[in-house]
């Protein structure tokens, strides 16, 4: 019997529209981010950072997302713009994990990118272990330079994921999982 393993056996992502408050307190979030940053990191480069989006900031960013969508799709209806505006506003808290991977004399960029993925996974596991539910999403705006500029990302930085964190209103039924025999080879 191990609480973390039991949680991991059944963990499911919960869509942001099914996440509600209260979210983690400042102190609790600091603890979750400290745990999330405790990942394998070849060369100890910390090639990632966090951007915490909470409270009013969720709608401020959402406004920029909606405006960018409207600029690209002038015919977008009010319903679609509302969806875009609320992209980050459902869960009480969204943490953007930002990859700072780049060329390095010794450490391949690929390994730095993997470390950012590990940060996302650690944050997901830590938040779920603390009783929250999460969704690790990117969506189109994670790849849109106008939004990245608005979020203050350097040209070399990328979004590894927006981790939406909240209390689950309900947990969706499970999805099919990979069959072990199809993904494991023994030598
Ligand atoms: C880097 C990354 C980005 C993702 N972005 C999206 C996304 O934009 N939209 C989406 O529906 N799912 C996205 N997903 C998938 C969800 O995080 C999640 O895996 C999926 O909803 C299945 O949930 P599960 O965690 O219960 O298996 C992404 C996953 C990863 C690893």
């Amino acid at each position: 019997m191990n609480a973390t393993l039991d949680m991991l056996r059944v963990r499911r992502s919960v869509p942001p529209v099914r996440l509600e408050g209260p979210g983690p307190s400042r102190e609790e979030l600091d603890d979750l981010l400290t745990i999330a940053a405790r990942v394998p990191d070849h060369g100890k480069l910390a090639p990632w950072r966090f951007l915490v989006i909470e409270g009013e900031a969720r709608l401020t960013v959402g406004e920029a997302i909606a405006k960018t969508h409207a600029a690209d799709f002038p015919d977008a209806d009010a319903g679609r713009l509302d969806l875009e505006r609320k992209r980050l506003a459902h869960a009480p808290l969204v943490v953007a994990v930002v990859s700072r991977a780049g060329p390095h004399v010794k450490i391949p960029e690929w390994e730095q990118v993997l470390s950012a993925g590990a940060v996302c996974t650690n944050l997901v596991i830590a938040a779920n272990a603390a009783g929250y539910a999460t969704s690790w999403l990117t969506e189109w705006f994670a790849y849109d330079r106008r939004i990245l500029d608005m979020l203050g990302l350097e040209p070399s930085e990328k979004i590894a994921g927006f981790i939406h964190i909240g209390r689950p209103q309900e947990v969706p039924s499970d999805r099919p999982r990979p069959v072990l025999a199809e993904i494991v080879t023994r030598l």
Side-chain angles (χ1 to χ4, degrees):
M1 172 86 175
N2 174 296
T4 309
L5 292 179
D6 288 345
M7 179 277 289
L8 288 173
R9 275 187 198 102
V10 299
R11 184 206 59 80
R12 269 240 66 182
S13 291
V14 175
V17 288
R18 297 269 171 269
L19 293 175
E20 61 190 5
S25 65
R26 173 70 187 263
E27 199 179 27
E28 203 178 354
L29 180 61
D30 282 352
D31 187 39
L32 294 176
L33 297 181
T34 304
I35 292 167
R38 198 181 173 90
V39 288
D41 170 13
H42 195 177
K44 303 182 194 69
L45 302 176
W48 21 257
R49 66 184 179 93
F50 299 110
L51 193 58
V52 176
I53 305 167
E54 59 187 336
E56 282 302 304
R58 298 171 305 157
L59 277 171
T60 310
V61 180
E63 205 57 56
I65 293 172
K67 276 196 183 130
T68 305
H69 182 83
D72 290 349
F73 301 96
D75 295 339
D77 62 24
R80 178 59 192 249
L81 293 180
D82 194 51
L83 182 154
E84 298 295 345
R85 192 172 293 112
K86 291 182 179 154
R87 285 277 193 189
L88 302 176
H90 298 291
L93 174 73
V94 180
V95 177
V97 176
V98 177
S99 164
R100 304 196 289 183
H104 187 276
V105 280
K106 272 177 66 182
I107 313 300
E109 192 166 335
W110 166 238
E111 296 188 6
Q112 299 172 47
V113 173
L114 290 173
S115 187
V119 169
C120 293
T121 304
N122 249 23
L123 181 55
V124 163
I125 292 172
N128 280 269
Y132 296 99
T134 55
S135 246
W136 173 356
L137 304 179
T138 43
E139 303 295 351
W140 65 269
F141 49 89
Y143 300 95
D144 190 287
R145 192 63 248 171
R146 294 161 291 183
I147 300 301
L148 299 183
D149 284 343
M150 189 263 175
L151 293 173
L153 266 71
E154 299 291 333
S156 59
E157 294 183 321
K158 290 189 169 68
I159 297 287
F162 291 103
I163 313 297
H164 301 243
I165 302 173
R167 302 276 172 195
Q169 289 168 1
E170 61 180 297
V171 179
S173 54
D174 204 6
R175 67 178 176 90
R177 300 290 167 177
V179 176
L180 212 54
E182 293 174 5
I183 56 168
V184 177
T185 307
R186 290 193 164 81
L187 300 180

